[in-house]
């Protein structure tokens, strides 16, 4: 990364608040590249391959998983960070880590685990991502977790309740005083949305749960489809779908970059501190925002709440709930490391263990301990 190319409000090593444990500086890469590399080499990152995005992992080999989703978010984040002259390595690191804390079985798994943890402080996947990089990964002799830079940790922690923020020390401070995270973090947050809005259209069409005809009711899709068909008359099938989706991604990325650039200029932002103090700068234009809301609403009603998806969700809810009950009743069933943590805080140790499971590992554990038939 050419540091001279960076905008004055980008995060740099010079303004970084550093790591919790002091380390020798890396020699052939930047501190932010080191963070990215540590995330890629982590156990939690590899587990993303077998965790549900929307479709349960065993439903098909071509659907997105948390891993391929995270790679798409990283690609979009890097492109936009570069276009805005932000710290591309930081954006990439945050993007690759943003979903590390997800439970097996996607949002259904998180909801159930949060319900189980109600009396014990709750469970939130975003907070769990931070917990993984701060304490749960066991890789380095000198410290727990990955000892990432403050700015990478700040980007991972997208949202946080005031009560949790008070428990988190300096990383939670911004939620108490109302400061924005870096532009790199803001960009990743929206890259996440661009990635899932588009790949869920693709996966939804592939699954047959939604159709091209119904999607034509969504303005941004219809417009991009018309453009693809005008350029390639007679185009159909997978190529038409991809030519439409690539245009939608392009519309969203270009709008976001142009509008964010305009917001930065309008707010007179000239330093990282200005970014922290300004209102959210990374945002879509007023013209595109309602169109994206329409697409999101379509996906919620027609895909995420499709009866076939909900049926699977119901089947997997019991896996997480049963496992929680079993380990709470008998902490000796936990692996040694979690058993040791359970002596201090049993519920949190159980939640950490279950959250770390992949879909199939959870299904197998359920089969073994509860006599379930795998996916219930
Ligand atoms: Mg995500």
């Amino acid at each position: 990364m050419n540091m001279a190319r960076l905008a004055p409000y980008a995060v740099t090593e010079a303004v970084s608040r550093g790591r919790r444990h002091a380390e020798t500086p890396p020699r052939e890469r930047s501190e932010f590249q080191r963070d990215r590399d540590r995330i890629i080499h982590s156990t939690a990152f590899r587990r993303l391959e077998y965790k549900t995005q929307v479709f349960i992992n065993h439903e098909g080999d071509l659907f997105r998983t948390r891993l391929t989703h995270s790679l798409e978010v990283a690609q979009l984040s890097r492109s936009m960070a570069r276009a805005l002259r932000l710290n591309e390595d930081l954006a990439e690191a945050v993007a690759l880590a943003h979903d590390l804390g997800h439970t097996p079985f996607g949002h259904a798994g998180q909801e159930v685990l949060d319900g189980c943890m109600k009396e014990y402080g709750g469970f939130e996947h975003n907070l769990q991502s931070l917990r993984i990089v701060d304490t749960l990964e066991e890789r380095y002799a000198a410290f727990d977790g990955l000892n990432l830079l403050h700015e990478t940790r700040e980007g991972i922690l997208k949202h946080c309740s005031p009560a949790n923020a008070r428990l988190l020390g300096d990383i939670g401070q911004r939620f108490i005083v109302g400061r924005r995270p870096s532009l790199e973090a803001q960009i990743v947050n929206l890259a996440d949305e661009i990635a899932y809005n588009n790949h869920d259209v693709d996966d939804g069409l592939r699954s047959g749960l939604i159709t091209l005809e119904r999607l034509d009711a969504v303005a941004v899709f219809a417009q991009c489809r018309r453009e693809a068909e005008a350029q390639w008359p007679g185009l159909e099938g997978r190529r038409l779908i991809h030519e439409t989706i690539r245009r939608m991604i392009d519309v969203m990325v270009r709008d976001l970059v142009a509008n964010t650039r305009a917001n930065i200029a309008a707010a007179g932002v000239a330093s990282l501190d200005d970014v922290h103090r300004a209102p959210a700068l990374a945002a879509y234009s007023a013209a595109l925002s309602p169109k994206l809301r329409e697409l999101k609403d379509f996906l919620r009603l027609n895909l995420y709440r499709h009866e076939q998806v909900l049926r699977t969700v119901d089947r997997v809810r019991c896996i997480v709930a049963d496992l929680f009950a079993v380990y709470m009743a008998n902490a000796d069933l936990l692996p040694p490391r979690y058993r040791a943590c359970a002596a201090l805080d049993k519920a949190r140790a159980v939640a950490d263990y279950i959250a770390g499971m992949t879909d199939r590992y959870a299904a197998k554990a359920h089969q073994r301990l509860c006599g379930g038939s795998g996916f219930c």
Side-chain angles (χ1 to χ4, degrees), residues 149-303:
L149 291 162
H150 177 89
E151 293 71 20
T152 309
R153 298 169 60 230
E154 172 198 75
I156 292 171
L157 192 64
K158 281 190 285 198
H159 37 77
C160 185
S161 67
N164 281 329
R166 276 189 284 275
L167 301 173
L168 290 172
D170 63 345
I171 205 75
Q173 192 60 17
R174 78 173 181 87
F175 297 96
I176 297 165
V177 299
R179 278 162 74 93
R180 303 283 168 185
S182 66
L183 265 162
E184 287 82 353
Q186 294 182 36
I187 285 291
V188 175
N189 203 0
L190 291 161
D192 184 22
E193 198 177 285
I194 296 177
Y196 67 67
N197 279 332
N198 285 286
H199 65 49
D200 289 350
V201 167
D202 189 32
D203 284 352
L205 286 167
R206 191 183 293 277
S207 69
L209 299 184
I210 57 177
T211 61
L212 280 175
E213 291 62 39
R214 299 196 64 179
L215 267 163
D216 272 339
V218 179
V220 67
F221 183 89
Q223 173 206 327
C224 291
R225 178 182 172 175
R226 273 198 306 275
E227 281 172 23
E229 286 171 334
Q231 194 179 346
W232 303 98
L235 194 67
E236 51 186 17
R238 296 292 325 157
R239 287 178 203 253
L240 173 60
I241 293 170
H242 182 64
E243 287 288 347
T244 304
I245 290 175
R246 67 183 281 234
R247 282 169 175 77
M248 286 206 294
I249 294 175
D250 196 51
V251 164
M252 294 173 202
V253 166
R254 282 191 296 118
D255 180 275
L256 183 53
V257 167
N259 200 58
T260 301
R261 204 177 271 143
N263 287 346
I264 292 168
V269 166
S271 68
L272 179 58
D273 210 43
D274 289 347
V275 172
H276 289 314
R277 278 197 293 249
L281 296 163
Y284 301 108
S285 68
L288 188 65
S289 294
K291 292 185 184 172
L292 295 188
R293 216 168 306 128
E294 185 191 29
L295 174 61
K296 277 180 129 157
D297 288 345
F298 176 91
L299 286 169
R300 195 178 58 249
L301 290 172
N302 297 282
L303 184 63

Side-chain angles (χ1 to χ4, degrees), residues 53 66 69 73 98-99 192 196:
Q53 182 66 27
R66 289 259 165 230
H69 162 72
V73 177
H98 87 284
D99 270 353
D192 184 22
Y196 67 67

Side-chain angles (χ1 to χ4, degrees), residues 336-356:
R337 182 192 173 202
Y338 292 94
R339 217 180 299 150
C341 298
L344 298 168
D345 184 343
K346 185 161 71 170
R348 188 55 60 189
V350 169
D352 284 341
Y353 182 46
I354 294 175

Side-chain angles (χ1 to χ4, degrees), residues 122-140:
F123 179 88
E124 212 282 300
H125 68 81
N126 190 226
L127 214 51
Q128 190 70 5
S129 298
L130 185 69
R131 190 165 158 74
I132 286 170
V133 300
D134 277 359
T135 51
L136 293 179
E137 279 286 326
E138 284 188 296
R139 307 187 69 76
Y140 300 92

